[in-house]
Amino acid sequence: MINIDAKNHVTGKSIYLDDIQEIKGTLFALPFDLPNAHANIQVINLAEAREMPGIHAILTHEDIPGQNQIGNIFPDEPLFAEKEVHYCGQPAGLILGENEFFCRQARKKISFVYDPLPVITCPREAQSKNMLISPSRTLTLGNTNDAWKSCEHIIEGTVDVNGQEHIYLETQGAYSYPKEDGSIYVASSTQAPTAVQRAISVVLDLPMHKIEVDVVRLGGGFGGKEDQATSWAVMTALAAKHTGKPVKLTLHRMDDMRMTGKRHPYSSDFKIGLTNDLKILAYEVTHYQNAGASADLSPAILERTLFHSTNAYFIPNVVITAHSCKTNLPPNTAFRGFGGPQGQFVIESAIVKAAETIGVSPDEIQKRNLVKDGDEFPYGQVMKNTEAMNSWNAAEKLFDLQEVKQRIKLFNENHNRFKKGFAVQPICFGISFTNTMMNNARALVHIYRDGSVVVSTGAVEMGQGVNTKLLQVASDEFGISPARVRIESANTLRIANTSPTAASSGADLNGKALKIACTNLKERLTKVAASILESEEVLFANDRISNAAGKKEITWEELVMNAFQKRVSLSEHSHYATPLINFDKTKEKGHPFAYHVYGTAVLEVTLDCLKGTYHFESVKIMHDFGKSMNISVDHGQVEGGLVQGIGWLTLEEVIYDEKGKLLSNALSNYKIPDIYSVPDEIVIEHLDSPGSDFAINKSKAVGEPPLMYGLGAYFAIRMAVKAFNPESELAFDAPYTPEKVLMDLYRNRTL
Ligand code: MTE
Ligand code: HPA
Ligand code: MOS
């Protein structure tokens, strides 16, 4: 089944926030900020801006009826700065005007008097000054102190990995208008409708039932709208309340890039110990997470870094420590992988450095140490399958790894200007919110008397195809054609207390809830059908319901109408909570994940050693989809995730100056992958895997895991650089931009 949005997307008919028909009298909102990253505000001069044409009002923290607070995990983030600003781009207030142009003109007239304060952008510096977002955490397994003695090779190093800008095609935005009795309607481009509703209730001092948040779809979120869509929605709600008018806000791309947080940069120190036969016995790692100026989701992201610090490997003795460091950058936030990829990049770097030191190929160490049935992860969960090994073995065989290695060796011996590199990249990603409490969802299903069906869940469609999968769940369960089912927007009046659509679990959680609702409805309908068809057993298929003998049948419409006439309820609201999962933070042990997703990629790159540019010829992936319920949607997720991962590790360079000002502040100076940087060949194979009972219809979550195949891009390029300049001292410092590659190619090298 093709993605139900495909046709409307390509014909431009899909409705995004900016396409909502504006109500007469709608005001446009534009936030303003100080030019400094850290300062004490003395005065904000608004008088001149207020007099500008078309300006209706300018709001600051003084206009907030409730609390000036939008923090999610901790209440540490004001909606508008009061005395102190903590990062460049922190909103200090909101301009309301008749159109965007008037607001922009007015913004130029706002000036500030302030005392600059010292700016810290480096996480290690912040940690040394004890500027932490939350208490540091450590996971341990076995005993590294004892284990070092048995290691023949001990290698230490430092790894840096930079942030990543989300570049969702649709920038942040919201549209609010007042309803009766002080209640309010909010259309928001958010992954977390309930978080928006809650924050508005705090800031406007309203009960949650007065706030309706509606989300039709997002033009991409990638985690960037899990927490950071909230402030803009709250601003429009505040403005609507204040003016009594509809208020719309859509950020200009450069405002969006300047004012929002990104993937967290990390700096990490590792120590890895191996035996002569390449068994990793011990691993110690300390992560410094650059959290930015407030908590946002950083503590949760740090948790996933801890959990994924050994990627797909079993290491018997481990100490993993992570610090969430408070700096004067915009609060960094969720981004596909949610801290997992940063942890995984360090262990992969450690393995590559060990391989280079010992003089073996990294894949020999990787393969030797893959997690196996019965192995324990450092967070306490015990592995119950052999998927990691299976995906490696299948990839090695199908993609003929030996041939790849031979061919690349031969090529490098015979070429000078061009060098090739490869990497094998296994992944292992835990599915569930690491915070057990969040793993729940609800669904509401109405069957109308004409037989058409409408489904509401808390799932937010952001391009990942969750609505298509939900539609399949309902139509499969009732045995009716997809055209009879409609998936409605995520709306807080229909579905309450939702978790964000995140952690790759949108389809699993909402799909499971939906399945429960459909099963309950079907049970009632079965009774009605049984009496009409005079049979205990009835079959729902092809829009018809037949008895066991297949002799008698009625149409779906007839059954529904019959049930309606018999006063049988045609509506159902259901609840699902993932069973079994748990985690005890006091012990740092538990079983946080419903299941894991595995896979192995083989990446091949060619490097132009004159220019420092590179091109990926092929990426071949053996991926664990379980029993994919929609192959085209799932392949889209693998391709998109892979390319986004390659972009993060190669081209995309977030640059702040030492004063905390973003220099890579537009698409002209922040390079994202385009069609030319996509690998020539992407092969996606399905691992023969049983799936998981916790995955919807055994179709495993696919949203985030494929991003981590992109990690291999870094190491493939590194191998090619080494082939040209074996003497070069190479750091582990991602992204590996052509600029950095060129420097490495010619460091200490006489021509
Ligand atoms: N795919 C598209 N096209 N757009 C997105 O914004 N977000 C990713 C992933 N794939 C995203 C995407 C992220 S960060 C997550 S957590 C999952 O989709 C969320 O959706 P799911 O839980 O339904 O997989
Ligand atoms: N993943 C994604 N988003 C989240 C998580 C998680 O584990 N926890 C809280 N928000
Ligand atoms: Mo995804 S980073 O969990 O929104």
Side-chain angles (χ1 to χ4, degrees):
M1 181 173 165
I2 64 159
N3 188 319
I4 53 170
D5 279 336
K7 201 170 166 197
N8 281 343
H9 280 358
V10 297
T11 52
K13 288 183 184 142
S14 302
I15 306 272
Y16 294 89
L17 207 120
D18 212 26
D19 302 312
I20 296 172
Q21 286 284 332
E22 284 157 34
I23 299 166
K24 194 157 164 265
T26 294
L27 294 177
F28 197 92
L30 182 71
F32 64 88
D33 54 320
L34 271 74
N36 253 53
H38 195 194
N40 269 325
I41 306 174
Q42 299 289 351
V43 189
I44 305 180
N45 293 311
L46 298 173
E48 200 185 339
R50 283 196 164 118
E51 295 310 311
M52 293 286 287
I55 298 304
H56 281 233
I58 300 183
L59 308 180
T60 67
H61 68 92
E62 288 168 8
D63 301 294
I64 290 174
Q67 298 169 45
N68 181 19
Q69 185 50 249
I70 56 162
N72 181 342
I73 294 184
F74 305 134
D76 72 341
E77 191 178 352
L79 178 69
F80 295 134
E82 294 188 18
K83 295 218 162 51
E84 203 177 329
V85 289
H86 296 273
Y87 65 90
C88 259
Q90 181 176 358
L94 191 70
I95 306 164
L96 300 171
E98 278 158 33
N99 61 38
E100 186 178 354
F101 177 76
F102 287 142
C103 293
R104 292 197 168 277
Q105 295 302 103
R107 188 159 77 172
K108 292 180 194 156
K109 305 290 180 193
I110 297 176
S111 64
F112 308 88
V113 181
Y114 57 86
D115 305 318
L117 295 168
V119 172
I120 294 181
T121 59
C122 164
R124 288 177 188 259
E125 185 186 348
Q127 194 269 343
S128 74
K129 295 185 170 144
N130 209 23
M131 293 172 61
L132 298 174
I133 293 283
S134 52
S136 301
R137 290 175 63 180
T138 299
L139 295 189
T140 45
L141 185 69
N143 184 328
T144 49
N145 284 336
D146 293 347
W148 298 124
K149 295 171 208 142
S150 314
C151 297
E152 272 104 17
H153 309 277
I154 295 176
I155 295 102
E156 297 182 58
T158 294
V159 178
D160 285 281
V161 61
N162 205 345
Q164 185 177 22
E165 169 61 52
H166 298 85
I167 314 285
Y168 22 65
L169 289 183
E170 178 195 39
T171 56
Q172 302 276 3
Y175 186 42
S176 295
Y177 56 79
K179 298 198 296 184
E180 204 172 73
D181 275 344
S183 63
I184 193 154
Y185 171 89
V186 183
S188 168
S189 179
T190 180
Q191 292 173 240
T194 296
V196 168
Q197 182 191 24
R198 210 175 64 90
I200 292 172
S201 115
V202 170
V203 174
L204 298 194
D205 193 21
L206 288 176
M208 285 170 79
H209 70 202
K210 285 202 166 180
I211 303 150
E212 174 183 3
V213 179
D214 190 73
V215 187
V216 173
R217 68 164 61 73
L218 274 51
F222 306 111
K225 295 171 182 170
E226 182 174 341
D227 210 46
Q228 301 219 351
T230 299
S231 56
W232 323 109
V234 177
M235 286 179 204
T236 60
L238 173 70
K241 176 104 179 152
H242 193 89
T243 60
K245 288 176 183 291
V247 177
K248 174 172 170 171
L249 184 158
T250 33
L251 286 185
H252 184 281
R253 177 67 67 187
M254 286 178 76
D255 285 341
D256 188 303
M257 292 179 81
R258 189 177 79 253
M259 299 180 123
T260 66
K262 313 181 191 316
R263 185 190 290 284
H264 294 74
Y266 275 62
S267 188
S268 310
D269 298 319
F270 71 81
K271 181 175 171 187
I272 191 168
L274 302 88
T275 60
N276 270 337
D277 69 345
L278 305 183
K279 173 86 195 129
I280 305 174
L281 283 188
Y283 181 58
E284 289 182 356
V285 61
T286 303
H287 300 291
Y288 300 85
Q289 177 200 54
N290 193 337
S294 57
D296 192 273
L297 295 166
S298 295
I301 290 161
L302 194 84
E303 183 160 74
R304 204 174 264 278
T305 305
L306 288 163
F307 289 2
H308 290 327
S309 278
T310 53
N311 190 19
Y313 310 107
F314 171 65
I315 306 175
N317 304 287
V318 176
V319 180
I320 306 159
T321 299
H323 308 289
S324 181
C325 310
K326 185 169 173 160
T327 60
N328 297 111
L329 298 183
N332 285 315
T333 197
F335 198 137
R336 210 170 192 168
F338 205 74
Q342 290 94 325
Q344 286 159 292
F345 183 61
V346 183
I347 182 72
E348 294 298 337
S349 298
I351 288 173
V352 166
K353 188 159 182 191
E356 289 170 359
T357 311
I358 301 168
V360 296
S361 184
D363 62 282
E364 291 177 50
I365 301 180
Q366 289 173 306
K367 185 178 177 181
R368 174 86 176 77
N369 293 280
L370 288 170
V371 58
K372 289 187 292 296
D373 195 21
D375 287 342
E376 184 181 335
F377 288 103
Y379 47 90
Q381 189 158 340
V382 176
M383 170 91 168
K384 283 281 191 290
N385 60 64
T386 54
E387 253 54 291
M389 279 304 288
N390 294 355
S391 80
W392 182 288
N393 291 337
E396 182 174 345
K397 194 160 161 234
L398 194 65
F399 308 143
D400 203 347
L401 186 57
Q402 292 318 313
E403 185 274 335
V404 173
K405 288 167 86 164
Q406 272 306 316
R407 181 163 41 76
I408 287 181
K409 188 163 170 274
L410 207 68
F411 181 94
N412 287 345
E413 282 165 8
N414 291 298
H415 292 79
N416 200 26
R417 172 162 172 193
F418 294 97
K419 296 287 184 189
K420 284 186 189 283
F422 76 93
V424 188
Q425 186 58 62
I427 62 160
C428 171
F429 196 78
I431 302 302
S432 288
F433 288 95
T434 56
N435 181 358
T436 301
M437 194 192 92
M438 296 173 75
N439 295 285
N440 67 82
R442 281 147 299 286
L444 175 68
V445 180
H446 298 309
I447 306 174
Y448 293 102
R449 48 190 287 179
D450 66 351
S452 67
V453 176
V454 72
V455 169
S456 295
T457 72
V460 169
E461 175 61 55
M462 54 187 123
Q464 87 280 38
V466 68
N467 281 358
T468 303
K469 288 186 175 178
L470 292 173
L471 193 142
Q472 285 180 276
V473 169
S475 71
D476 285 355
E477 200 58 31
F478 293 138
I480 58 177
S481 77
R484 292 186 190 272
V485 184
R486 184 179 154 71
I487 308 295
E488 255 305 331
S489 59
N491 184 300
T492 55
L493 293 184
R494 271 179 271 116
I495 302 294
N497 307 318
T498 59
S499 289
T501 300
S504 303
S505 58
D508 278 0
L509 295 175
N510 295 283
K512 288 274 188 182
L514 174 57
K515 197 155 175 169
I516 293 169
C518 294
T519 310
N520 293 347
L521 280 162
K522 197 171 157 185
E523 223 172 88
R524 296 201 285 270
L525 290 173
T526 299
K527 283 194 189 132
V528 178
S531 76
I532 302 170
L533 300 172
E534 294 163 340
S535 160
E536 284 287 289
E537 266 176 66
V538 295
L539 183 74
F540 288 65
N542 306 319
D543 298 293
R544 301 186 121 67
I545 295 84
S546 54
N547 65 7
K551 294 251 166 64
K552 263 179 123 178
E553 61 170 36
I554 49 169
T555 65
W556 166 256
E557 283 105 321
E558 283 166 349
L559 173 59
V560 167
M561 184 50 92
N562 211 287
F564 174 71
Q565 285 163 347
K566 287 188 171 129
R567 297 186 292 168
V568 171
S569 166
L570 293 173
S571 296
E572 187 75 6
H573 182 268
S574 60
H575 175 83
Y576 173 77
T578 314
L580 296 178
I581 51 171
N582 64 78
F583 193 75
D584 182 347
K585 275 200 189 180
T586 61
K587 299 198 176 83
E588 296 287 22
K589 296 283 176 197
H591 187 106
F593 298 121
Y595 60 90
H596 291 84
V597 170
Y598 307 89
T600 302
V602 179
L603 303 90
E604 282 186 59
V605 74
T606 300
L607 179 62
D608 182 334
C609 300
L610 191 60
K611 296 179 176 173
T613 55
Y614 39 74
H615 190 75
F616 285 86
E617 264 93 49
S618 79
V619 179
K620 296 179 179 170
I621 299 169
M622 180 59 67
H623 187 79
D624 169 22
F625 293 97
K627 307 289 176 208
S628 173
M629 65 187 287
N630 192 312
I631 288 173
S632 64
V633 165
D634 284 356
H635 282 206
Q637 287 294 293
V638 173
E639 290 171 358
L642 168 72
V643 173
Q644 205 162 31
I646 293 178
W648 174 42
L649 286 141
T650 60
L651 304 172
E652 300 184 39
E653 197 169 27
V654 177
I655 308 175
Y656 290 95
D657 69 13
E658 72 284 0
K659 292 197 171 130
K661 187 167 176 245
L662 183 68
L663 301 181
S664 53
N665 63 352
L667 283 163
S668 53
N669 51 35
Y670 182 78
K671 174 74 179 151
I672 60 166
D674 57 19
I675 193 71
Y676 300 104
S677 33
V678 169
D680 295 337
E681 189 187 18
I682 299 177
V683 174
I684 301 168
E685 296 288 344
H686 291 230
L687 178 69
D688 182 12
S689 144
S692 162
D693 289 337
F694 301 113
I696 181 66
N697 292 343
K698 294 190 182 283
S699 180
K700 282 187 163 185
V702 69
E704 293 166 287
L707 181 127
M708 280 144 272
Y709 293 128
L711 294 172
Y714 187 91
F715 302 106
I717 296 171
R718 183 181 168 100
M719 177 186 283
V721 172
K722 280 254 164 194
F724 182 80
N725 185 358
E727 302 309 313
S728 193
E729 280 281 322
L730 306 184
F732 291 94
D733 181 15
Y736 217 170
T737 58
E739 188 180 353
K740 282 193 211 159
V741 168
L742 201 56
M743 303 293 274
D744 282 349
L745 284 170
Y746 294 95
R747 185 176 303 112
N748 306 329
R749 190 181 193 273
T750 41
L751 287 172

